Amino acid sequence: PSGGTDQAVEVDVALAGAGTAGLIAAVRLLEAGKSVVLFEKQDIAGGSMPMTYSGVAAAESQLQSNYALGRHDENPMFNKAGMLAVMSKYLVPENDRFDGAMPYQTAMYDNSGKLVDWLHGMGVGFYSLGVNPAYGVTPYLAPGCYMGGCGYAKDFLVDRVGALGGQIIYATEVTELVQEADGRVTGLLAQGRDGSSWTVGAKAVCLTTGGFAANPDMIAEYYPEYADYKFNCAPGSTGEGILMGQKAGGAIECMGRELGAFLSTTSQAGSNFEIAFLYQTTPGIIVNASGAQFGNMMSDNHGMLGRGLRDAANGGAFFYITDESGRITTNKNELYAMDTYKCLEHRGDMVHYDSVEEAAEALGLPELASTIETHNAHALAGEEDEFGRKNLPYIDTYSGIWVISCLPTFYLTTGGLAIDTAGRVLTEAGESIAGLYAAGDVCGSIEEKDGRPYAMGFDAAMNYGYLMAEAVIADI
């Protein structure tokens, strides 16, 4: 389109991307009295934020202490040192650059309690799972897990940006960074869908544009083993921030490592409804295209599913098998205050078959009957199965079985721009680029930087958005 206006703006801080990290950083910067403008290429803010499950790391926050009253002080959900000890168990030696020190996760958990109390103090709502011996307390953004809490928090932060005097420019994509001869980044250029153009001068520029799971060309370049798979991700995750950061001299890291997947439905054409927690709400088993089990979803959910999808022996089709009691728990489950899976039966994703044989014939699963028989034998004996699964649920086939056609779907990229633990973009030599900062998925996984597989991107985006803002405040 043409006919838009050309605008020149001078601000303290310009942000590219109004997703999780961008909104957190903008509010923090505005609180510190900095002038701020955010550019968002989509028509709404939030990026991946409204899609996520809304669980928040809250170790050593006052909010969590108020929930617990000291009863579970040693639980990792409450104790930063305990949480880091759990994280250290997953380090991959060949990817560990810091001899187990985990500086990036340490910075995140040093800040997480402060972040939660900051959000709670300004009025963002939390739901508590409640105190129990297994989990302690895991706060979720209210009203609960996959219940829209992240969307409500996003709306709250957007309103906060405006109330504090900031501005979000929608449908406008940042296209280029402005850089001086000495390498300092001093602004950006942006282009609106209405034809408007923006030239912005800034003391600091923050890249908060997300990852590149929705960019097939970048997937083919950096994750060639995953080039043929669908990514169930936010449409704005197309990688421009990484490319701009590289052009400004920034390094990239952690590309090409193994990606995890979560379960999505396939019964409704093209819907890919997320069912990542199905293995907790619905006792049962997952089988492949021949009706055989293929791994332990309880111990390594995302990794096992990602490998299962890529293993040609599984045939590229998957089915979750449960019984009548599983149907009931699916419809009535309120795990983490989440009851969204009750729609599965009504959507037609959860299908009943009068017998195992009927399901096997209809779906082409020749090994299904023997798989269920073997599984039930382990369940009755109270023993582990061949995949190391414990406490197996007995599948009662007296009144038939319920089947959910499903598919593991990849959902994010875990490589990205190199940053320090305060969000300053780094060169290949490890030197910071003056005036340039980044947080969120544009940096890839914080855990991967420490040498462990990706774990908690939402927490990382929030905490590093906050840490980045603190660094900008200190630097300018």
Side-chain angles (χ1 to χ4, degrees):
S2 61
T5 58
D6 297 330
Q7 303 193 53
V9 177
E10 291 287 333
V11 291
D12 291 326
V13 188
L15 296 100
T20 307
L23 290 171
I24 291 285
V27 171
R28 188 66 183 156
L29 288 162
L30 288 161
E31 286 181 342
K34 306 303 178 184
S35 56
V36 171
V37 63
L38 296 90
F39 291 92
E40 172 53 54
K41 68 180 180 182
Q42 303 294 107
D43 293 324
I44 60 171
S48 299
M49 187 176 183
M51 300 172 64
T52 195
Y53 76 132
S54 87
V56 180
E60 301 184 7
S61 65
Q62 186 61 48
L63 178 66
Q64 197 163 46
S65 296
N66 291 344
Y67 289 154
L69 298 176
R71 288 172 289 177
H72 298 281
D73 288 344
E74 300 308 309
N75 190 300
M77 302 305 296
F78 292 82
N79 183 285
K80 182 189 74 178
M83 176 67 80
L84 288 170
V86 171
M87 299 298 106
S88 70
K89 296 178 182 179
Y90 297 94
L91 288 171
V92 179
E94 59 267 32
N95 295 335
D96 179 9
R97 302 176 290 175
F98 305 107
D99 297 322
M102 304 186 296
Y104 288 89
Q105 291 172 95
T106 298
M108 182 166 84
Y109 290 115
D110 277 341
N111 188 71
S112 61
K114 183 192 304 182
L115 173 85
V116 165
D117 288 335
W118 175 70
L119 288 168
H120 186 238
M122 71 172 71
V124 173
F126 286 84
Y127 165 84
S128 168
L129 176 62
V131 179
N132 69 63
Y135 296 104
V137 171
T138 304
Y140 285 80
L141 292 171
C145 180
Y146 281 120
M147 296 292 285
C150 281
Y152 294 129
K154 178 264 293 182
D155 288 344
F156 188 95
L157 291 169
V158 168
D159 178 74
R160 195 83 167 174
V161 169
L164 291 171
Q167 186 177 16
I168 304 176
I169 311 299
Y170 293 102
T172 302
E173 181 176 340
V174 174
T175 57
E176 189 176 341
L177 300 179
V178 177
Q179 196 168 20
E180 300 298 310
D182 63 0
R184 173 178 287 276
V185 174
T186 58
L188 57 78
L189 305 179
Q191 189 70 38
R193 215 178 298 149
D194 62 356
S196 61
S197 63
W198 293 76
T199 301
V200 180
K203 298 173 185 175
V205 174
C206 299
L207 297 172
T208 50
T209 52
F212 58 94
N215 186 328
D217 292 337
M218 288 184 72
I219 293 292
E221 180 177 359
Y222 294 114
Y223 292 91
E225 297 179 17
Y226 296 85
D228 295 331
Y229 295 104
K230 176 182 174 61
F231 282 74
N232 196 2
C233 66
S237 299
T238 47
E240 296 90 345
I242 293 173
L243 299 176
M244 287 187 288
Q246 286 182 278
K247 187 176 179 181
I252 56 173
E253 58 188 1
C254 306
M255 294 291 191
R257 295 181 183 174
E258 182 179 80
L259 297 178
F262 59 52
L263 274 188
S264 299
T265 62
T266 58
S267 299
Q268 300 294 313
S271 68
N272 289 127
F273 178 70
E274 172 279 322
I275 48 173
F277 287 90
L278 188 71
Y279 70 105
Q280 294 188 32
T281 66
T282 309
I285 59 174
I286 186 169
V287 301
N288 62 19
S290 65
Q293 291 197 80
F294 56 94
N296 186 339
M297 191 160 61
M298 299 298 292
S299 67
D300 182 21
N301 185 319
H302 293 239
M304 170 267 194
L305 289 172
R307 292 187 293 273
L309 180 61
R310 294 172 59 204
D311 186 350
N314 288 321
F318 302 86
F319 304 88
Y320 197 88
I321 311 298
T322 190
D323 58 14
E324 183 64 19
S325 65
R327 180 191 76 85
I328 292 170
T329 62
T330 304
N331 279 296
K332 293 187 175 181
N333 202 293
E334 294 189 356
L335 180 78
Y336 313 135
M338 176 189 73
D339 65 355
T340 53
Y341 294 172
K342 65 186 179 184
C343 73
L344 290 174
E345 181 180 351
H346 308 295
R347 280 166 46 97
D349 290 317
M350 179 178 277
V351 179
H352 181 259
Y353 294 90
D354 289 333
S355 67
V356 174
E357 293 72 23
E358 181 187 351
E361 182 176 353
L363 301 171
L365 306 175
E367 298 181 59
L368 181 61
S370 62
T371 295
I372 293 176
E373 184 179 350
T374 299
H375 166 84
N376 280 345
H378 289 307
L380 289 172
E383 60 190 15
E384 292 184 15
D385 67 8
E386 60 268 39
F387 303 105
R389 293 182 70 209
K390 303 175 183 178
N391 302 317
L392 301 177
Y394 182 82
I395 298 175
D396 188 345
T397 62
Y398 176 78
S399 57
I401 59 173
W402 290 84
V403 180
I404 302 170
S405 298
C406 51
L407 188 74
T409 52
F410 301 107
Y411 55 98
L412 85 169
T413 47
T414 58
L417 291 173
I419 58 169
D420 66 11
T421 55
R424 300 180 182 93
V425 176
L426 303 178
T427 66
E428 289 284 359
E431 299 173 350
S432 60
I433 299 171
L436 187 60
Y437 305 79
D441 285 348
V442 70
C443 308
S445 164
I446 292 305
E447 296 90 2
E448 291 278 9
K449 293 181 187 299
D450 280 342
R452 68 147 292 177
Y454 163 84
M456 292 160 55
F458 179 53
D459 285 282
M462 287 197 297
N463 278 286
Y464 271 80
Y466 189 102
L467 291 168
M468 177 182 69
E470 296 292 279
V472 170
I473 292 166
D475 291 349
I476 68 173

